[in-house]
Structures are given as C-alpha cells and as structure tokens.
Amino acid sequence: MNYISTRGAGAGERHTFSDILLGGLAKDGGLYLPSEYPQVSAAELARWRGLSYAELAFEVLSKFCDDIPAEDLRALTHKTYRAEVYANVRPDPQHGHTAAERAAQITPLHSLGVENGAPLSLLELSNGPTLAFKDMAMQLLGNLFEYTLAKTGQHLNILGATSGDTGSAAEYAMRGKAGVRVFMLSPRGKMSAFQTAQMYSLQDANIFNVAVEGVFDDAQDIVKAVSNDHAFKARHAIGTVNSINWARVVAQVVYYFRGYFAAIEGQPVGSVPEGASAEQRAAVAATTPLADWPKVSFTVPSGNFGNVCAGHIARMMGLPIHRLVVATNENDVLDEFFRTGVYRVRKAAETYHTTSPSMDISKASNFERFVFDLLGREPARVRQLFHDVETQGGFDLAKSGDFARVAQFGFVSGRSTHEGRVETIRDVYRRYQTMIDTHTADGLAVAREYLEPGVPMVVLETAQPIKFGETIREALEREADRPAAFEGLEALPQRFDVLPADAGSVKAYVASHTGA
C-alpha cells in the first residue's frame, strides 16, 4: 500500500503506513490517502459477518497497513478491542442484553424502532475509557505508537487540538506510554465541565494541557502551523493525533463494517432456499454481487469531517452504504456545502458556542480528503482550492460543475439547533427509554429527514450523555446517567496552562517542556 498527498508533492515517492503513522500533514500541507482504495469482495463480506470486532479490525486494517507483520497487527487489534476496555455500557431495557454481552460486542447496535418504515438504530461507539467515539481509534493509535517507537527507539511529542473529546481520548490512550508526550490545545472555557475535568484532572507527567484563548479553529490552525514548520517538527519530533492522522481515520472505517453487519443481521443475502443452513446462506452471500446486498444508510454528527470521512472510505471500498448523512449543529459549514456546493469557512467571531460543542468547528480538516476524490484525484486543483480557503475564505464547486457529482458519493446533509436537540433528547427518552447526548441528538434529528422505507438507518452515537449534563437536565429534568468510574470527576484538582492563540507561544511552550 502506497500513500500519496492530496496536494501532489512527492509524486513518485513511496510512503508506507508506518512512514506516515507518526505524522499528520504531508510536507506540502496536504493529507495522506492511499494511492487507490483497497476493494472488498462479496466473499470477504460474507466471511467477515461473523467475526469478533478485534478480528474484523485486523481484516480491514490489513488492507491498509501491509508493512506491519500480520501476527503483530493481529496482536495489536486484540490488545485494543477487549471487552474490559469498552465496559462503560449502559442498560438496554428494551432488548434484555446483559452488560457483559454488550461490552463483548465493543460497538453494540441499539435498535430504537421503525419510523416511516425504516429500522432506526444507534451504533454505540462511546463505551470506551472517555465515553466518546474517539476512543475507538485513539486506543488503537496509542498501541500503534508504542509498538512503532519501541521498534525504532524513537520518541514522539504529540501536538493536538480538541473541541472536547479528541483531547481526553488521546490523553487516556497515551498516558504512561513509553517515549510519548502529549501537548493538547483546547479552547479555554468552550468545553463542557465534564470534558474539561476529564482532561485537566490528569496528573501524568507526560500529559500537558494548554487552554488557548480562542476557539477550536484557532487551536487547530496552530497545530497545522507547527506541522508546516518542518524544521521545528523534526527537531522536536512532533506528531499528531488529530483526525488528520490517517491511522485514526482508517481505524474508524472498521465500525462502519461492523454497523452494517449488525443492521442486516438475520437478513438473507441473495436467493437463499427456504430452510437453508447457515453454511448454505454464507455460500450464497459469497457469490451475490455487492450491488445486490442490502443497503444501509448512516447518519454521522460531524464537525471536522473525520468520522464521516471514514464512512466515505468504507463506501469506496465497496461496503453497500446507501446514504451518508452529514449532521451539523448551528456551525453548518458542511451542511452549506452539501446543499449548495459552497465551502465557506467561518471566522472565530462567526463560530457559535453551542450545546453540542465538539462540533463547534468552522474549518473541517478532513474535508480535503473527500474533495480530492470528488475532483477525480487532481492534486493541482485541490492545492488551488485550499489556497483559496486560506486567502479567500472558501470556494464554490457549483460554479465549476463539480458539485453535481456529490450525489454519486451518497452524501446528503442537515443541521440541528439547540431547541431541536432538546426536543430530540426528550422524544427519544419518552419513546424509547433511551438517553442520548447532544451530538447524537443532532444526528437523530437530521436522520429523520432521510428515512426511507426498508432501508436501515444507523446513527453513529458519539458520546455518553453525562458529558453534557447541563443540557440533559434542561431536556429531561433529571441528571444524566454517570458510570461509577466517573463519580466526583469535576471535583478533582485540575492542571493546565493558558496561552494566547499564537503558534509562536505554543512552539516556545513545547520547546521548554521537551528539553530539545
């Protein structure tokens, strides 16, 4: 597998998965993608349906990181995706599954019901250590980093930015890891109290929290500026865990396969004779063209486009995804694009502070990966468009006619508001006895706009409700469910430093704490 930059620099060079693992941006400021997407066959899908999550992760990741010995990669996926790591499961009173059964599934599918003829479900992705979907990729990334650094004898200083969940997921995945320090930037005063406490209460010597005087996009711009200072990056061994890191994106591809299999569980594929055995059903599925497999749609709450970008990649690999529904909050830069073809980033003053703060993002870093595919993988055009983003604040693909091809990739979108979130939380709790967080509420509200009879709709659940307790109290007039491990979290001592939204200040801070 060879990786290339969306902006074309280094054409002809060979980059393996391990080559790009510890970095983020390519040297030309672009993002890495495979030179071509690996394809899955009907036979592979038929075989993968019954695999454990760890084994499924091994199979999917094997297609992207063929430079890691198979036995090592399998050991890494089995170390990462264990029931005890994803044990923060909530009750499922409707379906009677035990906590142990649900934890063993890693990402259990929580069926809500049938609405407008469409089966509607939540794919639970937040049962990990920090109660957010970011754990699904970050736990793997921590183990991959430790494995690679041990092999090479290197060390790594991770510089990241978070709007709420990436930071805690990264810090919990990297705390205590040999050869790794984490410098995490977050917008001061813009995260929920629970999110803030999760990060700032960590006292590990290799964790450094920096509260930036600004919004998330300011922090993200600083990370990109430091990544583009190649001399500083090399001198201080700077790596990244933000969703621009390819390993994070590819780890997220796995749960689209898992969610698809769960959504069609028990459903025959192809012309299966009545009374056929499980082996016969699998044999028929293995020879049924992927175009004839059942279709499933996914709705993804998304601000930085990393989570839904993984769905795009799964679809490009051949997974029979019908629609990818992008759900935003009031910071609707992505919804505006998928409705009009105009990508218009907002300035800090135009970025709203909302009750789904992890999506308070107005410059979607991973969006460039999709644009690269949309434009037929023409790096010169991508390079010009994202130069326009920096100099003119955006671009318009409707004028060039390129926007007309978006439908071929299955994308649609919608937005929600605070009032819509609150009403959705109330409705789902009343109707299905299920408590959801604010971001998942954005997803469900938008998903309901795109339900189609007979097509399962899977909403990616992104966080547990306790992370946004204030809005849960407003919606339900009760406290959010809190896993026992997090009792008293907000009362713990907090350790962080405050810096201006300035790349020079952050560089000086990193340099003073690395001794380089």
Side-chain angles (χ1 to χ4, degrees):
M1 175 63 69
N2 184 37
Y3 288 89
I4 58 175
S5 168
T6 53
R7 301 190 187 182
E13 297 178 3
R14 182 164 182 81
H15 299 285
T16 67
F17 179 86
S18 296
D19 290 336
I20 66 172
L21 171 64
L22 301 181
L25 295 173
K27 288 183 178 180
D28 60 357
L31 300 178
Y32 286 113
L33 276 174
S35 55
E36 57 183 7
Y37 292 117
Q39 298 299 294
V40 293
S41 65
E44 284 176 311
L45 282 191
R47 180 170 59 85
W48 291 359
R49 284 183 79 172
L51 297 181
S52 69
Y53 195 96
E55 275 298 304
L56 178 62
F58 167 73
E59 294 288 350
V60 174
L61 292 169
S62 293
K63 290 182 170 291
F64 292 94
C65 42
D66 53 3
D67 59 321
I68 295 179
E71 61 272 20
D72 291 355
L73 183 60
R74 178 175 271 114
L76 286 166
T77 61
H78 280 263
K79 178 181 179 180
T80 300
Y81 299 113
R82 295 175 288 128
E84 54 266 37
V85 178
Y86 299 90
N88 289 309
V89 293
R90 284 140 294 159
D92 186 8
Q94 281 191 308
H95 306 100
H97 298 131
T98 68
E101 288 171 338
R102 300 180 75 244
Q105 295 175 41
I106 310 298
T107 59
L109 189 73
H110 184 115
S111 175
L112 295 177
V114 177
E115 296 187 13
N116 294 337
L120 180 62
S121 304
L122 300 176
L123 186 64
E124 292 186 15
L125 302 177
S126 64
N127 297 329
T130 71
L131 313 182
F133 82 95
K134 306 292 177 74
D135 290 324
M136 295 303 303
M138 207 68 77
Q139 287 290 311
L140 178 67
L141 202 60
N143 289 327
L144 279 168
F145 279 1
E146 189 172 50
Y147 167 85
T148 301
L149 294 171
K151 285 266 188 182
T152 61
Q154 297 174 279
H155 68 279
L156 185 68
N157 293 309
I158 293 168
L159 179 64
T162 184
S163 55
D165 291 329
T166 291
S168 55
E171 291 176 356
Y172 277 67
M174 305 296 168
R175 60 190 304 198
K177 295 289 188 194
V180 179
R181 294 187 189 91
V182 179
F183 296 87
M184 189 57 61
L185 313 183
S186 56
R188 188 181 186 189
K190 300 293 194 299
M191 300 185 295
S192 74
F194 189 96
Q195 288 175 313
T196 301
Q198 269 193 315
M199 289 176 55
Y200 294 178
S201 65
L202 291 180
Q203 304 296 323
D204 302 75
N206 70 326
I207 303 296
F208 301 89
N209 279 302
V210 177
V212 171
E213 298 279 19
V215 298
F216 168 75
D217 292 299
D218 296 319
Q220 183 166 255
D221 286 345
I222 290 170
V223 171
K224 287 186 175 181
V226 175
S227 293
N228 281 320
D229 184 339
H230 302 302
F232 183 89
K233 183 178 178 181
R235 186 163 63 252
H236 295 280
I238 301 294
T240 183
V241 292
N242 274 59
S243 58
I244 56 176
N245 182 296
W246 169 250
R248 265 194 62 188
V249 176
V250 75
Q252 292 173 313
V253 171
V254 178
Y255 53 66
Y256 282 90
F257 283 85
R258 181 61 165 226
Y260 175 84
F261 294 142
I264 68 166
E265 186 175 359
Q267 189 171 341
V269 176
S271 301
V272 179
E274 188 174 345
S277 66
E279 291 77 11
Q280 289 171 321
R281 291 159 67 99
V284 171
T287 58
T288 299
L290 290 178
D292 295 330
W293 279 57
K295 294 287 192 290
V296 174
S297 291
F298 290 85
T299 296
V300 190
S302 191
N304 221 11
F305 205 76
N307 203 6
V308 76
C309 184
H312 162 66
I313 292 163
R315 191 175 186 274
M316 295 294 284
M317 292 172 69
L319 187 66
I321 294 175
H322 177 49
R323 275 182 165 163
L324 287 166
V325 184
V326 179
T328 74
N329 61 15
E330 294 89 336
N331 296 296
D332 58 355
V333 60
L334 291 172
D335 181 45
E336 181 178 34
F337 173 81
F338 285 109
R339 290 185 183 276
T340 69
V342 174
Y343 181 66
R344 179 177 60 88
V345 301
R346 277 56 155 174
K347 297 177 182 176
E350 301 173 286
T351 302
Y352 300 105
H353 178 39
T354 76
T355 48
S356 49
S358 297
M359 300 197 304
D360 291 349
I361 298 169
S362 293
K363 187 186 290 184
S365 282
N366 279 283
F367 187 56
E368 183 170 333
R369 286 184 163 116
F370 170 65
V371 172
F372 182 67
D373 287 337
L374 178 66
L375 298 182
R377 301 195 142 208
E378 296 182 22
R381 292 195 63 198
V382 173
R383 190 163 57 247
Q384 181 59 53
L385 287 176
F386 284 89
H387 174 74
D388 293 344
V389 170
E390 298 304 321
T391 58
Q392 301 172 31
F395 52 76
D396 184 351
L397 292 186
K399 288 183 179 178
S400 63
D402 297 293
F403 179 63
R405 292 197 298 277
V406 165
Q408 299 172 18
F409 294 87
F411 279 102
V412 291
S413 70
R415 71 189 292 271
S416 186
T417 63
H418 173 72
E419 293 75 17
R421 284 188 284 281
V422 168
E423 179 50 41
T424 301
I425 291 168
R426 285 177 184 150
D427 176 71
V428 171
Y429 191 69
R430 179 176 60 247
R431 194 187 303 197
Y432 301 117
Q433 299 79 55
T434 298
M435 188 182 293
I436 59 173
D437 84 290
T438 52
H439 306 74
T440 305
D442 284 324
L444 268 169
V446 175
R448 284 169 161 166
E449 300 175 24
Y450 292 102
L451 298 176
E452 298 178 57
V455 180
M457 175 65 80
V458 177
V459 179
L460 299 197
E461 180 241 39
T462 56
Q464 292 202 17
I466 186 58
K467 303 195 85 166
F468 310 97
E470 184 176 340
T471 307
I472 298 300
R473 287 192 292 272
E474 177 185 349
L476 302 180
E477 298 181 345
R478 58 156 288 180
E479 294 297 322
D481 298 329
R482 179 185 290 256
F486 294 93
E487 290 294 340
L489 177 71
E490 293 90 336
L492 294 175
Q494 297 186 5
R495 180 172 65 92
F496 63 97
D497 294 297
V498 179
L499 290 179
D502 171 70
S505 299
V506 171
K507 286 181 184 178
Y509 181 89
V510 170
S512 70
H513 288 85
T514 60

